Amino acid sequence: MDKYKTGIIFNGVMTALAVALIVVVAALSRNTALSEKATRTVTFAFTNSLGRLSSALPFSLFELLVCIAVIAALFLIIKGIVLLAKRKTARGLCSFTTLVATVLCVVSIYMLDTTFAYNREAPPLDVYQNGELSDEEILAASDAFFDDFIALADSLERDKKGFPVCELSVEEISDLIGKEYEKLDDEYYCDYVPRAKGMFFSSLMSEASLGGITFTPIGEANVNDEMPITDKIFTIAHETAHSIGIMREEDANLVAAYVLLNSENNLLRYSAMYSYFLRVLDIVEVLDNDKYEAYHGAIYNEDSVIRKEISAVAEFWRSKKMRLAKISDFFNNLYLKFNGQNLGTGSYDDDNFWEVTPSDPDEDGNVTYEIELSDIQLVLLTRYAG
């Protein structure tokens, strides 16, 4: 048997082993207790080893590996086509099977490191739970939130477009956020927090309407460096959550919001508040319409720096054609549903995680509302509850 036929057999064996690992991981990850244990062992082991390596490099290891993978894939495809055209069947098939085996091996390793984390327990955070705050206490916390948010927004130095001024790189911001993550001392969280990297291909990320991407086997969070600063900070915190094994999108948002909101750094705290102030405004609209109108007016009046920033952010994304947005959204939605997130990309939207139930009208036609707050809303209120 010549070496090419041997190569085909070897590739077939590797493909079978990779598929077997994928099936086993997919089956075992349905068990939450096992998923929690696997995340704390396998996933944390990857982060503590390869995460340290990627953090030490002055460039994005993920981007480098993607470039190598694309070049290698194109080479194998072209080589295989040429060889088959020349009727060198064994050599051509060897080229194609090498590609298939390599892809499936990478997928199996990725799933071994990542899939369990999608079915682990919820992140433990020191926050109020539904039912522990009365409507009056919720409104008081909302008042404190908006007082701080508006004052903080006015205090920040801003550029001509209206964005807060920040001269720190993605890596430097990541170091600040990493110190905030280190305050989470529960064993649920990985001890080592990898460093996020700004992406060289950020313009491509903008075209795809993507803020960040984390390749968990190397523990590296990658962030679109073109984004407005407030979005960039929250994205770094979100992707950092992924890099330490918090994979569900709503959980990554939750932990990112908690870490940033409880920071003493004004810009980090402002990023969380800016990202989710509408969720507090939603609560106020239900409980006290007069206060809602007052806060809405304060934020969206012509002189408001917050309104100017909102307009500048919208203009930034409009300036990016985002011709790849539908494609990236399709595959991201598919990926999330495959990993058990039934809402798909809807998992990013906190509006999907609260519930408002109206009562029947009383004799005067008045309606009251029972609110089941989302975890992020509870984080925001906890920070400002007396």
Side-chain angles (χ1 to χ4, degrees):
M1 184 179 297
D2 64 38
K3 63 178 182 179
Y4 298 110
K5 292 182 180 179
T6 301
I8 293 172
I9 294 173
F10 175 79
N11 290 335
V13 171
M14 294 303 296
T15 297
L17 291 174
V19 170
L21 180 58
I22 289 170
V23 172
V24 169
V25 168
L28 294 179
S29 65
R30 295 177 181 273
N31 183 293
T32 300
L34 180 59
S35 292
E36 186 62 43
K37 186 174 182 179
T39 301
R40 297 191 188 198
T41 52
V42 178
T43 304
F44 286 6
F46 273 97
T47 302
N48 275 306
S49 54
L50 295 180
R52 293 179 189 273
L53 171 63
S54 64
S55 295
L57 297 175
F59 55 85
S60 168
L61 178 58
F62 170 72
E63 284 188 294
L64 176 62
L65 292 176
V66 169
C67 289
I68 292 173
V70 170
I71 292 170
L74 290 174
F75 172 77
L76 289 172
I77 291 170
I78 293 171
K79 179 182 177 182
I81 292 172
V82 170
L83 290 171
L84 290 176
K86 293 181 177 180
R87 299 194 180 187
K88 296 180 180 180
T89 306
R91 292 181 63 182
L93 290 177
C94 186
S95 182
F96 281 116
T97 56
T98 297
L99 176 60
V100 172
T102 302
V103 169
L104 288 174
C105 284
V106 171
V107 170
S108 65
I109 293 172
Y110 180 85
M111 287 188 63
L112 177 65
D113 175 69
T114 305
T115 301
F116 289 108
Y118 276 100
N119 195 37
R120 65 186 308 204
E121 297 168 4
L125 297 172
D126 185 18
V127 297
Y128 285 108
Q129 300 301 307
N130 275 291
E132 293 183 345
L133 291 173
S134 66
D135 288 353
E136 291 75 18
E137 289 172 321
I138 289 174
L139 283 172
S142 300
D143 289 341
F145 173 90
F146 281 113
D147 287 346
D148 189 26
F149 177 48
I150 293 170
L152 188 53
D154 289 336
S155 72
L156 295 174
E157 180 184 357
R158 294 177 180 269
D159 61 22
K160 293 180 180 179
K161 292 183 178 180
F163 298 125
V165 173
C166 179
E167 297 179 354
L168 299 178
S169 67
V170 167
E171 291 76 13
E172 290 170 329
I173 296 172
S174 177
D175 290 341
L176 292 177
I177 292 175
K179 291 178 182 178
E180 301 296 336
Y181 266 94
E182 290 171 1
K183 297 176 183 178
L184 300 174
D185 57 2
D186 193 280
E187 291 183 357
Y188 180 92
Y189 306 100
C190 185
D191 291 335
Y192 180 70
V193 182
R195 197 183 206 197
K197 304 289 181 65
M199 299 188 72
F200 179 79
F201 292 103
S202 289
S203 58
L204 186 61
M205 294 287 285
S206 295
E207 281 284 347
S209 189
L210 291 175
I213 186 169
T214 298
F215 189 65
T216 51
I218 60 173
E220 186 178 76
N222 292 266
V223 177
N224 179 348
D225 206 7
E226 289 189 343
M227 288 190 298
I229 184 61
T230 310
D231 290 349
K232 189 186 301 183
I233 290 171
F234 193 86
T235 300
I236 293 171
H238 174 97
E239 297 300 333
T240 298
H242 285 330
S243 73
I244 61 172
I246 303 169
M247 290 309 300
R248 290 188 296 268
E249 299 300 342
E250 63 270 26
D251 287 348
N253 281 338
L254 173 66
V255 177
Y258 180 89
V259 164
L260 294 176
L261 193 66
N262 288 284
S263 172
E264 295 303 317
N265 183 293
N266 286 344
L267 191 54
L268 297 189
R269 192 167 85 255
Y270 175 75
S271 174
M273 300 177 82
Y274 176 86
S275 298
Y276 285 113
F277 77 87
L278 287 173
R279 303 300 292 122
V280 182
L281 201 59
D282 286 340
I283 300 170
V284 177
E285 183 179 17
V286 173
L287 297 180
D288 190 325
N289 191 65
D290 289 338
K291 284 191 174 184
Y292 167 79
E293 294 293 342
Y295 289 129
H296 188 278
I299 290 169
Y300 288 98
N301 74 78
E302 292 183 0
D303 297 325
S304 169
V305 295
I306 300 171
R307 177 185 175 181
K308 186 175 181 180
E309 183 176 357
I310 292 170
S311 298
V313 170
E315 178 57 33
F316 167 81
W317 287 110
R318 276 196 301 268
S319 70
K320 306 299 176 182
K321 303 303 181 182
M322 295 189 288
R323 286 162 287 208
L324 302 176
K326 290 184 178 180
I327 297 174
S328 67
D329 184 72
F330 172 80
F331 283 107
N332 193 21
N333 187 57
L334 192 65
Y335 165 78
L336 292 174
K337 287 185 176 181
F338 175 80
N339 281 289
Q341 296 215 249
N342 295 331
L343 292 176
T345 51
S347 302
Y348 293 102
D349 186 358
D350 189 62
D351 192 42
N352 290 319
F353 297 97
W354 79 316
E355 188 173 348
V356 179
T357 305
S359 67
D360 294 328
D362 61 17
E363 294 178 355
D364 298 322
N366 297 316
V367 176
T368 57
Y369 297 91
E370 181 180 342
I371 304 176
E372 186 81 12
L373 298 174
S374 72
D375 289 338
I376 286 179
Q377 287 173 318
L378 289 166
V379 163
L380 298 170
L381 294 175
T382 296
R383 175 68 170 78
Y384 292 93

